[in-house]
Amino acid sequence: MNFDIEALRHHQLVEDGQLEGCYIHQPAQGSQQDDNAVLAERQALEKMGFKVVQVQPKGGTTTFAEAMQMFAKKSGHQPK
């Protein structure tokens, strides 16, 4: 697979804060967690050694900040 990390379509890099360095999948219309393109992208990121996080949207949409808060709770990260 020819994978260009600069051209991600379904995941976003967390660039600061407690989750720095993780990639997060933000569900959007046409980009659900079980889609083949999303799975392939996630697997490629994981093979490269990156941590990938998936969140379930509440009510169909989730802001990036909400997704980070949900992941922080699930992974045990606590705000300082």
Coordinates of all heavy atoms in Angstrom, one line a residue:
M1 N 0.8 -1.2 0.0 CA 0.0 0.0 0.0 C 0.9 1.2 0.0 O 1.8 1.4 0.8 CB -0.9 0.0 1.2 CG -1.8 1.2 1.4 SD -2.8 1.1 2.9 CE -3.7 2.5 2.7
N2 N 0.6 2.1 -0.9 CA 1.3 3.4 -1.0 C 0.6 4.4 -0.1 O -0.5 4.9 -0.5 CB 1.4 3.8 -2.4 CG 2.3 5.0 -2.6 OD1 3.0 5.4 -1.7 ND2 2.3 5.6 -3.8
F3 N 1.1 4.7 1.1 CA 0.4 5.5 2.1 C 1.1 6.8 2.3 O 2.3 6.9 2.6 CB 0.4 4.7 3.4 CG -0.5 5.4 4.4 CD1 -1.9 5.4 4.3 CD2 0.1 6.0 5.5 CE1 -2.6 6.0 5.3 CE2 -0.6 6.6 6.5 CZ -2.0 6.6 6.4
D4 N 0.4 7.9 2.1 CA 0.9 9.2 2.3 C 0.3 9.8 3.5 O -0.9 10.2 3.6 CB 0.6 10.1 1.1 CG 1.1 11.5 1.2 OD1 1.9 11.8 2.2 OD2 0.8 12.4 0.4
I5 N 1.1 9.9 4.6 CA 0.6 10.4 5.9 C 0.1 11.8 5.8 O -0.7 12.3 6.6 CB 1.6 10.1 7.0 CG1 0.9 10.2 8.4 CG2 2.8 11.1 6.9 CD1 1.7 9.6 9.5
E6 N 0.6 12.6 4.9 CA 0.2 14.0 4.7 C -1.1 14.1 4.0 O -1.7 15.2 4.0 CB 1.3 14.7 3.9 CG 2.7 14.7 4.5 CD 2.7 15.4 5.9 OE1 2.0 16.5 6.0 OE2 3.4 14.9 6.8
A7 N -1.7 13.1 3.5 CA -3.0 13.2 2.8 C -4.1 12.4 3.5 O -4.9 11.7 2.8 CB -2.7 12.7 1.3
L8 N -4.1 12.4 4.8 CA -5.1 11.6 5.5 C -6.5 12.2 5.2 O -6.7 13.4 5.2 CB -4.9 11.7 7.0 CG -3.6 11.0 7.5 CD1 -3.4 11.3 9.0 CD2 -3.7 9.5 7.3
R9 N -7.5 11.3 5.0 CA -8.8 11.8 4.7 C -9.8 11.6 5.9 O -10.8 12.2 5.9 CB -9.3 11.1 3.5 CG -8.5 11.4 2.3 CD -9.0 10.7 1.0 NE -10.3 11.3 0.7 CZ -11.2 10.8 0.0 NH1 -11.0 9.6 -0.5 NH2 -12.3 11.4 -0.3
H10 N -9.4 10.6 6.8 CA -10.4 10.2 7.8 C -9.9 10.4 9.2 O -10.6 10.2 10.2 CB -10.8 8.8 7.6 CG -11.3 8.5 6.2 ND1 -12.5 8.9 5.8 CD2 -10.7 7.8 5.2 CE1 -12.6 8.5 4.5 NE2 -11.5 7.8 4.1
H11 N -8.6 10.8 9.4 CA -8.0 10.9 10.7 C -7.3 12.2 10.8 O -6.8 12.8 9.8 CB -7.0 9.8 11.0 CG -7.7 8.4 11.1 ND1 -8.0 7.7 10.0 CD2 -8.1 7.7 12.1 CE1 -8.6 6.6 10.3 NE2 -8.7 6.6 11.6
Q12 N -7.2 12.8 12.0 CA -6.6 14.0 12.3 C -5.6 13.9 13.4 O -5.8 13.2 14.4 CB -7.6 15.1 12.7 CG -7.0 16.4 13.0 CD -8.1 17.4 13.4 OE1 -9.3 17.1 13.4 NE2 -7.7 18.6 13.7
L13 N -4.4 14.4 13.2 CA -3.3 14.4 14.2 C -3.6 15.4 15.3 O -3.9 16.5 15.1 CB -2.0 14.7 13.6 CG -0.8 14.8 14.6 CD1 -0.5 13.4 15.2 CD2 0.5 15.2 13.8
V14 N -3.5 14.9 16.6 CA -3.6 15.8 17.7 C -2.2 16.4 17.9 O -1.3 15.6 18.2 CB -4.1 15.0 19.0 CG1 -4.1 16.0 20.2 CG2 -5.4 14.3 18.8
E15 N -2.1 17.7 17.8 CA -0.8 18.3 17.8 C -0.3 18.9 19.1 O 0.8 19.3 19.3 CB -0.7 19.4 16.7 CG -0.9 18.8 15.3 CD -0.8 19.8 14.2 OE1 -0.4 21.0 14.5 OE2 -1.0 19.5 13.1
D16 N -1.2 19.0 20.1 CA -0.8 19.5 21.4 C -1.8 18.9 22.5 O -2.7 18.2 22.2 CB -0.8 21.0 21.5 CG -2.1 21.6 21.2 OD1 -3.1 20.9 21.0 OD2 -2.2 22.9 21.1
G17 N -1.4 19.2 23.7 CA -2.2 18.7 24.8 C -1.9 17.3 25.3 O -0.9 16.8 24.9
Q18 N -2.8 16.8 26.1 CA -2.5 15.5 26.7 C -2.5 14.3 25.6 O -1.9 13.3 25.8 CB -3.6 15.1 27.7 CG -3.6 16.1 28.9 CD -4.7 15.8 29.8 OE1 -5.7 15.2 29.4 NE2 -4.6 16.2 31.0
L19 N -3.1 14.5 24.5 CA -3.2 13.5 23.5 C -2.3 13.7 22.3 O -2.5 13.2 21.2 CB -4.7 13.4 23.0 CG -5.7 13.1 24.1 CD1 -7.1 13.1 23.5 CD2 -5.4 11.8 24.8
E20 N -1.3 14.6 22.5 CA -0.4 14.9 21.5 C 0.2 13.6 20.8 O 0.7 12.7 21.5 CB 0.8 15.8 22.0 CG 1.7 16.2 21.0 CD 2.8 17.2 21.5 OE1 2.7 17.5 22.7 OE2 3.7 17.6 20.8
G21 N 0.2 13.6 19.5 CA 0.8 12.5 18.8 C -0.2 11.4 18.4 O 0.2 10.5 17.7
C22 N -1.4 11.5 19.0 CA -2.4 10.5 18.6 C -3.1 10.9 17.4 O -3.2 12.1 17.1 CB -3.4 10.3 19.7 SG -2.8 9.6 21.3
Y23 N -3.7 10.0 16.6 CA -4.6 10.3 15.5 C -6.0 10.0 15.9 O -6.2 9.0 16.6 CB -4.2 9.5 14.3 CG -3.0 10.1 13.5 CD1 -1.7 9.7 13.9 CD2 -3.2 11.0 12.5 CE1 -0.6 10.3 13.2 CE2 -2.1 11.5 11.9 CZ -0.8 11.2 12.2 OH 0.3 11.7 11.6
I24 N -6.9 10.8 15.6 CA -8.3 10.6 16.0 C -9.2 10.6 14.8 O -9.0 11.3 13.8 CB -8.8 11.8 17.0 CG1 -10.1 11.4 17.6 CG2 -8.8 13.1 16.3 CD1 -10.4 12.3 18.8
H25 N -10.1 9.6 14.8 CA -11.1 9.5 13.7 C -12.3 10.3 14.1 O -12.9 10.0 15.2 CB -11.4 8.1 13.4 CG -12.5 7.9 12.4 ND1 -13.7 7.2 12.8 CD2 -12.7 8.3 11.2 CE1 -14.5 7.3 11.7 NE2 -13.9 7.9 10.7
Q26 N -12.7 11.2 13.3 CA -13.9 12.0 13.6 C -15.0 11.5 12.6 O -14.9 11.7 11.5 CB -13.7 13.5 13.4 CG -13.0 14.1 14.6 CD -13.4 15.5 14.7 OE1 -14.5 15.9 15.1 NE2 -12.5 16.4 14.4
P27 N -16.0 10.7 13.2 CA -17.0 10.3 12.2 C -17.7 11.4 11.6 O -18.0 12.4 12.2 CB -18.0 9.5 13.2 CG -17.2 9.2 14.4 CD -16.2 10.3 14.5
A28 N -17.9 11.3 10.3 CA -18.6 12.3 9.5 C -19.4 11.5 8.4 O -19.1 10.3 8.2 CB -17.6 13.2 8.8
Q29 N -20.3 12.2 7.8 CA -21.1 11.5 6.8 C -20.2 11.0 5.7 O -19.4 11.8 5.2 CB -22.1 12.5 6.2 CG -23.1 11.8 5.3 CD -24.3 12.7 5.0 OE1 -24.3 13.9 5.3 NE2 -25.3 12.2 4.3
G30 N -20.3 9.7 5.4 CA -19.4 9.1 4.4 C -18.1 8.7 5.0 O -17.2 8.2 4.3
S31 N -17.9 8.8 6.3 CA -16.6 8.4 6.9 C -16.9 7.7 8.3 O -16.6 8.3 9.3 CB -15.7 9.6 7.1 OG -14.5 9.2 7.8
Q32 N -17.5 6.6 8.3 CA -17.9 5.8 9.5 C -16.7 4.9 9.8 O -15.9 4.5 9.0 CB -19.2 5.1 9.3 CG -20.4 6.1 9.1 CD -20.5 7.2 10.2 OE1 -20.4 6.9 11.3 NE2 -20.6 8.4 9.7
Q33 N -16.7 4.5 11.1 CA -15.6 3.7 11.6 C -15.4 2.3 10.9 O -14.3 1.9 10.8 CB -15.8 3.3 13.1 CG -15.7 4.5 14.0 CD -15.9 4.2 15.4 OE1 -15.6 3.1 15.8 NE2 -16.3 5.1 16.2
D34 N -16.4 1.7 10.4 CA -16.3 0.4 9.7 C -16.2 0.5 8.2 O -16.2 -0.5 7.6 CB -17.5 -0.5 10.1 CG -18.8 0.1 9.8 OD1 -18.9 1.3 9.3 OD2 -19.8 -0.6 10.0
D35 N -16.0 1.7 7.6 CA -15.8 1.8 6.2 C -14.4 1.3 5.8 O -13.5 1.4 6.6 CB -15.9 3.3 5.7 CG -17.3 3.8 5.8 OD1 -18.3 3.0 6.0 OD2 -17.5 5.0 5.8
N36 N -14.3 0.6 4.7 CA -13.1 0.0 4.3 C -11.9 1.1 4.2 O -10.8 0.8 4.6 CB -13.2 -0.7 2.9 CG -14.0 -2.0 3.1 OD1 -14.1 -2.5 4.1 ND2 -14.6 -2.4 2.0
A37 N -12.2 2.2 3.7 CA -11.2 3.3 3.6 C -10.7 3.7 4.9 O -9.5 4.0 5.1 CB -11.7 4.5 2.8
V38 N -11.6 3.9 5.9 CA -11.3 4.3 7.2 C -10.4 3.2 7.9 O -9.4 3.5 8.5 CB -12.5 4.6 8.1 CG1 -12.2 4.9 9.5 CG2 -13.3 5.8 7.5
L39 N -10.9 1.9 7.8 CA -10.1 0.8 8.3 C -8.7 0.7 7.8 O -7.7 0.5 8.5 CB -10.9 -0.5 8.1 CG -12.2 -0.6 8.9 CD1 -12.9 -1.9 8.5 CD2 -11.9 -0.6 10.4
A40 N -8.6 0.9 6.5 CA -7.3 0.8 5.8 C -6.4 1.9 6.3 O -5.2 1.7 6.6 CB -7.4 0.8 4.3
E41 N -6.9 3.1 6.4 CA -6.1 4.2 6.9 C -5.7 4.0 8.3 O -4.5 4.2 8.7 CB -6.9 5.5 6.7 CG -6.1 6.8 7.0 CD -6.9 8.0 6.6 OE1 -7.0 8.3 5.4 OE2 -7.4 8.7 7.6
R42 N -6.6 3.5 9.2 CA -6.3 3.3 10.6 C -5.2 2.2 10.7 O -4.2 2.3 11.4 CB -7.5 2.8 11.4 CG -7.2 2.7 12.8 CD -8.4 2.1 13.6 NE -8.4 0.7 13.4 CZ -9.5 0.0 13.3 NH1 -10.7 0.6 13.3 NH2 -9.5 -1.3 13.1
Q43 N -5.3 1.1 9.9 CA -4.4 0.0 10.0 C -3.0 0.5 9.5 O -2.0 0.1 10.1 CB -4.8 -1.2 9.2 CG -6.0 -1.9 9.8 CD -6.7 -2.9 8.9 OE1 -6.4 -2.9 7.7 NE2 -7.6 -3.7 9.4
A44 N -2.9 1.3 8.5 CA -1.7 1.9 8.0 C -1.0 2.7 9.1 O 0.2 2.6 9.3 CB -1.9 2.6 6.7
L45 N -1.8 3.6 9.8 CA -1.2 4.4 10.8 C -0.7 3.6 12.0 O 0.3 3.8 12.5 CB -2.3 5.4 11.4 CG -2.6 6.6 10.4 CD1 -3.9 7.2 10.9 CD2 -1.5 7.5 10.4
E46 N -1.5 2.5 12.4 CA -1.1 1.6 13.4 C 0.2 0.9 13.1 O 1.1 0.7 13.9 CB -2.2 0.7 13.8 CG -3.3 1.4 14.5 CD -4.6 0.5 14.8 OE1 -4.7 -0.6 14.1 OE2 -5.4 0.9 15.6
K47 N 0.3 0.4 11.9 CA 1.5 -0.3 11.4 C 2.8 0.7 11.5 O 3.9 0.2 11.7 CB 1.4 -0.8 10.0 CG 0.5 -2.0 9.9 CD 0.4 -2.5 8.5 CE -0.5 -3.7 8.4 NZ -0.7 -4.2 7.1
M48 N 2.5 2.0 11.3 CA 3.6 2.9 11.4 C 3.9 3.3 12.9 O 4.8 4.1 13.1 CB 3.3 4.2 10.6 CG 3.1 3.9 9.1 SD 2.5 5.4 8.2 CE 3.8 6.5 8.3
G49 N 3.2 2.7 13.8 CA 3.4 2.9 15.2 C 2.7 4.1 15.9 O 2.9 4.4 17.0
F50 N 1.7 4.6 15.2 CA 0.9 5.7 15.8 C -0.3 5.1 16.5 O -0.8 4.1 16.2 CB 0.4 6.6 14.7 CG 1.4 7.4 14.0 CD1 1.9 7.1 12.7 CD2 2.0 8.5 14.6 CE1 2.8 7.8 12.1 CE2 3.0 9.2 14.0 CZ 3.4 8.9 12.7
K51 N -0.7 5.8 17.6 CA -1.9 5.5 18.3 C -3.1 6.1 17.6 O -3.1 7.3 17.3 CB -1.8 5.9 19.8 CG -3.0 5.5 20.6 CD -2.8 5.7 22.0 CE -4.0 5.3 22.8 NZ -3.8 4.1 23.6
V52 N -4.2 5.3 17.3 CA -5.3 5.8 16.6 C -6.5 5.7 17.6 O -6.7 4.6 18.2 CB -5.6 5.0 15.3 CG1 -6.8 5.6 14.6 CG2 -4.4 5.1 14.4
V53 N -7.3 6.7 17.7 CA -8.5 6.7 18.6 C -9.8 6.9 17.7 O -9.8 7.7 16.8 CB -8.4 7.9 19.5 CG1 -9.5 8.0 20.5 CG2 -7.0 7.9 20.3
Q54 N -10.8 6.1 18.1 CA -12.1 6.3 17.5 C -13.1 6.6 18.6 O -13.0 6.1 19.7 CB -12.5 5.0 16.8 CG -11.6 4.6 15.7 CD -12.0 3.3 15.0 OE1 -12.9 2.7 15.4 NE2 -11.4 3.0 13.9
V55 N -14.0 7.5 18.2 CA -15.0 8.0 19.2 C -16.4 7.8 18.5 O -16.5 7.9 17.3 CB -14.8 9.4 19.6 CG1 -13.5 9.5 20.4 CG2 -14.8 10.4 18.5
Q56 N -17.4 7.6 19.3 CA -18.7 7.6 18.8 C -19.3 9.0 19.0 O -19.2 9.6 20.1 CB -19.6 6.6 19.6 CG -19.3 5.2 19.4 CD -19.7 4.7 18.0 OE1 -20.3 5.5 17.2 NE2 -19.4 3.5 17.7
P57 N -19.9 9.5 17.9 CA -20.5 10.9 18.1 C -21.8 10.8 18.9 O -22.5 9.8 18.8 CB -20.8 11.3 16.6 CG -21.0 10.0 15.9 CD -20.1 9.0 16.6
K58 N -22.1 11.9 19.6 CA -23.4 11.9 20.2 C -24.3 12.7 19.4 O -24.0 13.8 19.0 CB -23.3 12.5 21.6 CG -22.7 13.9 21.7 CD -22.7 14.4 23.1 CE -22.2 15.9 23.1 NZ -22.1 16.4 24.5
G59 N -25.4 12.2 19.0 CA -26.4 12.9 18.2 C -25.9 13.1 16.8 O -26.4 14.0 16.1
G60 N -25.0 12.4 16.3 CA -24.6 12.5 14.9 C -23.4 13.3 14.6 O -22.7 13.2 13.6
T61 N -23.0 14.2 15.5 CA -21.8 15.1 15.3 C -21.0 15.2 16.6 O -21.6 15.1 17.7 CB -22.2 16.5 14.9 OG1 -23.0 17.1 15.9 CG2 -22.9 16.5 13.5
T62 N -19.8 15.3 16.5 CA -18.9 15.4 17.6 C -17.8 16.5 17.3 O -17.2 16.4 16.2 CB -18.2 14.1 18.0 OG1 -19.1 13.1 18.3 CG2 -17.2 14.2 19.2
T63 N -17.6 17.4 18.2 CA -16.5 18.4 17.9 C -15.2 17.7 18.3 O -15.2 16.7 19.0 CB -16.7 19.6 18.8 OG1 -16.6 19.3 20.2 CG2 -18.1 20.3 18.5
F64 N -14.1 18.3 17.8 CA -12.8 17.7 18.1 C -12.6 17.8 19.6 O -12.0 16.8 20.2 CB -11.8 18.5 17.3 CG -10.4 17.9 17.5 CD1 -10.1 16.7 16.9 CD2 -9.4 18.6 18.2 CE1 -8.8 16.2 17.0 CE2 -8.2 18.1 18.3 CZ -7.8 16.9 17.7
A65 N -13.0 18.8 20.3 CA -12.7 19.0 21.7 C -13.5 17.9 22.5 O -13.0 17.3 23.4 CB -13.2 20.4 22.2
E66 N -14.8 17.6 22.0 CA -15.6 16.6 22.7 C -14.9 15.2 22.5 O -14.8 14.4 23.4 CB -17.0 16.6 22.1 CG -17.8 17.7 22.5 CD -19.2 17.8 21.8 OE1 -19.2 17.2 20.6 OE2 -20.1 18.3 22.4
A67 N -14.4 15.0 21.3 CA -13.7 13.7 21.1 C -12.5 13.5 21.9 O -12.3 12.5 22.5 CB -13.4 13.6 19.6
M68 N -11.7 14.6 22.1 CA -10.5 14.5 22.9 C -10.9 14.3 24.4 O -10.2 13.5 25.1 CB -9.7 15.8 22.8 CG -9.0 15.9 21.4 SD -8.0 17.3 21.2 CE -6.9 17.3 22.6
Q69 N -12.0 14.9 24.9 CA -12.4 14.7 26.2 C -12.8 13.3 26.5 O -12.5 12.6 27.5 CB -13.6 15.7 26.6 CG -13.1 17.1 26.8 CD -14.3 18.0 27.0 OE1 -15.5 17.6 26.9 NE2 -14.0 19.3 27.2
M70 N -13.6 12.7 25.5 CA -14.0 11.3 25.6 C -12.8 10.4 25.7 O -12.8 9.4 26.5 CB -15.0 10.9 24.5 CG -16.3 11.6 24.6 SD -17.6 11.0 23.5 CE -16.9 11.1 21.9
F71 N -11.9 10.6 24.8 CA -10.7 9.7 24.8 C -9.9 9.9 26.1 O -9.4 8.9 26.6 CB -9.8 10.1 23.6 CG -8.5 9.3 23.6 CD1 -8.5 7.9 23.4 CD2 -7.3 9.9 23.8 CE1 -7.3 7.2 23.5 CE2 -6.1 9.2 23.9 CZ -6.1 7.8 23.7
A72 N -9.7 11.1 26.6 CA -9.0 11.3 27.8 C -9.6 10.5 29.0 O -8.9 9.9 29.8 CB -8.9 12.8 28.2
K73 N -10.9 10.5 29.0 CA -11.6 9.7 30.1 C -11.4 8.2 29.9 O -11.1 7.5 30.8 CB -13.1 10.0 30.0 CG -13.5 11.4 30.6 CD -15.0 11.6 30.6 CE -15.4 13.0 31.0 NZ -16.8 13.2 31.0
K74 N -11.5 7.7 28.6 CA -11.4 6.3 28.4 C -10.0 5.8 28.6 O -9.7 4.7 29.0 CB -11.8 6.0 26.9 CG -13.3 6.1 26.7 CD -13.6 5.7 25.3 CE -15.0 5.8 25.0 NZ -15.4 5.5 23.6
S75 N -9.0 6.7 28.3 CA -7.6 6.2 28.4 C -7.0 6.5 29.8 O -5.8 6.2 30.1 CB -6.7 6.9 27.4 OG -6.7 8.3 27.6
G76 N -7.7 7.2 30.7 CA -7.2 7.5 32.0 C -6.4 8.7 32.2 O -5.9 9.0 33.2
H77 N -6.3 9.5 31.1 CA -5.6 10.8 31.2 C -6.5 11.8 32.0 O -7.7 12.0 31.7 CB -5.3 11.4 29.8 CG -4.3 10.7 29.1 ND1 -4.5 9.5 28.4 CD2 -3.0 10.9 29.0 CE1 -3.4 9.1 27.8 NE2 -2.4 9.9 28.2
Q78 N -5.9 12.4 32.9 CA -6.7 13.4 33.7 C -6.1 14.8 33.5 O -4.8 14.9 33.5 CB -6.6 13.0 35.2 CG -7.2 11.7 35.6 CD -8.7 11.7 35.3 OE1 -9.4 12.7 35.5 NE2 -9.2 10.5 34.8
P79 N -6.9 15.8 33.4 CA -6.4 17.2 33.3 C -5.6 17.5 34.6 O -5.9 17.1 35.7 CB -7.6 18.1 33.2 CG -8.8 17.2 33.3 CD -8.3 15.8 33.5
K80 N -4.5 18.3 34.3 CA -3.6 18.7 35.5 C -4.2 20.0 36.1 O -4.8 20.8 35.6 CB -2.2 19.0 35.0 CG -1.6 17.7 34.5 CD -0.2 18.0 34.0 CE 0.5 16.7 33.6 NZ 1.8 16.8 33.1

